[in-house]
Amino acid sequence: MAGPIVLPVWLAATLNVLGWPAIMLGWSWLAIRAPARWFAHDGWWCRPRAWERNGRLWRWTGVHRWKRLLPDGAAFFRGGFRKQLAAGSREHLERFRVETVRAE
């Protein structure tokens, strides 16, 4: 049986600094290309879960206080949608809903 893989600190740090952003950008790229129907409000992905306790979990974490500090990745990809309520049309609101779910 082989032992653990031991890397020099500089290499582990480099892999983390470059690897995690590459992984996250890759998932984002895939999500942007996924069909909008995958993110339907009544689909499996968006269904409320018992562990969310009707939103109490999210209020407890304070997500509403710090989520605005996270970068919006829309600028990284062509066709990205900036998640700001800029227009009041029904089409914009539906796209906003789909894109916020996709961002999750």
Side-chain angles (χ1 to χ4, degrees), residues 24-103:
M24 298 313 294
L25 287 170
W27 277 115
S28 298
W29 183 83
L30 288 171
I32 284 175
R33 278 144 187 81
R37 64 181 158 70
W38 287 9
F39 307 103
H41 71 280
D42 57 351
W44 177 87
W45 189 262
C46 299
R47 211 174 312 151
R49 309 290 185 222
W51 56 265
E52 293 177 291
R53 299 183 180 165
N54 292 325
R56 285 196 310 270
L57 172 70
W58 306 116
R59 285 188 295 279
W60 177 79
T61 63
V63 120
H64 60 284
R65 286 188 217 110
W66 53 263
K67 70 178 180 179
R68 65 180 161 65
L69 301 173
L70 298 176
D72 185 341
F76 287 109
F77 301 104
R78 189 173 4 139
F81 181 84
R82 236 175 114 79
K83 281 145 298 295
Q84 291 183 338
L85 285 174
S89 72
R90 184 174 181 84
E91 293 80 21
H92 177 81
L93 291 174
E94 178 57 23
R95 174 100 192 262
F96 178 82
R97 188 198 61 73
V98 166
E99 296 302 330
T100 54
V101 171
R102 186 187 308 266

